[in-house]
Amino acid sequence: QLQASGGGLVQAGGSLRLSCAASERTYVMGWCRQAPGKEREFVAAINWSGSSTYYADFVKGRFTISRDNAKNTVYLQMNSLKPEDTAVFYCAAAPGTWIRKNVDEYAYWGQGTQVTVSS
């Protein structure tokens, strides 16, 4: 079970940190998002050890994914937020050790947390 939190309303240029707590140790974890009227899209992923990460081009340099395995928690630090980042953000998990870069590669999903960026 995955529980996402940390969303909210922020002005453009601001920051938020999302958290995703897992009920048990998970392997690859990622964040995806879905804006109104759009398909869910991949944002970032991290492998089990945290030694490897991958980002969608539109968040590179602004977002950072990390994890604390002692707490079974993954984080998404979001800086320099833009109005186009407004979406419901979902954490997701997948078995195995390799980074997942596509939405449909994730087997387990959290409930989502709303991020709204005002201009």
Side-chain angles (χ1 to χ4, degrees), residues 5-118:
S5 62
L9 173 64
V10 64
Q11 289 187 331
S15 299
L16 283 173
R17 188 176 83 153
L18 306 183
S19 299
C20 178
S23 58
E24 59 185 62
R25 177 186 293 182
T26 55
Y27 296 95
V28 172
M29 293 193 73
W31 289 94
C32 300
R33 69 185 187 185
Q34 188 166 17
K38 295 187 177 181
E39 293 186 352
R40 193 170 297 188
E41 61 183 356
F42 169 83
V43 174
I46 189 167
N47 69 345
W48 181 83
S49 67
S51 62
S52 180
T53 59
Y54 185 82
Y55 298 92
D57 287 343
F58 54 79
V59 302
K60 284 181 180 178
R62 299 189 299 125
F63 292 8
T64 302
I65 189 170
S66 61
R67 67 189 300 162
D68 183 342
N69 285 340
K71 298 180 179 179
N72 289 339
T73 300
V74 65
Y75 305 96
L76 186 68
Q77 177 67 44
M78 305 187 295
N79 299 328
S80 302
L81 283 162
K82 306 174 181 180
E84 51 263 44
D85 292 319
T86 295
V88 177
F89 280 71
Y90 297 90
C91 63
T97 59
W98 62 98
I99 290 282
R100 305 303 204 278
K101 303 175 183 178
N102 298 293
V103 171
D104 57 7
E105 293 182 279
Y106 288 90
Y108 310 103
W109 292 87
Q111 86 287 3
T113 184
Q114 176 71 47
V115 171
T116 303
V117 185
S118 63

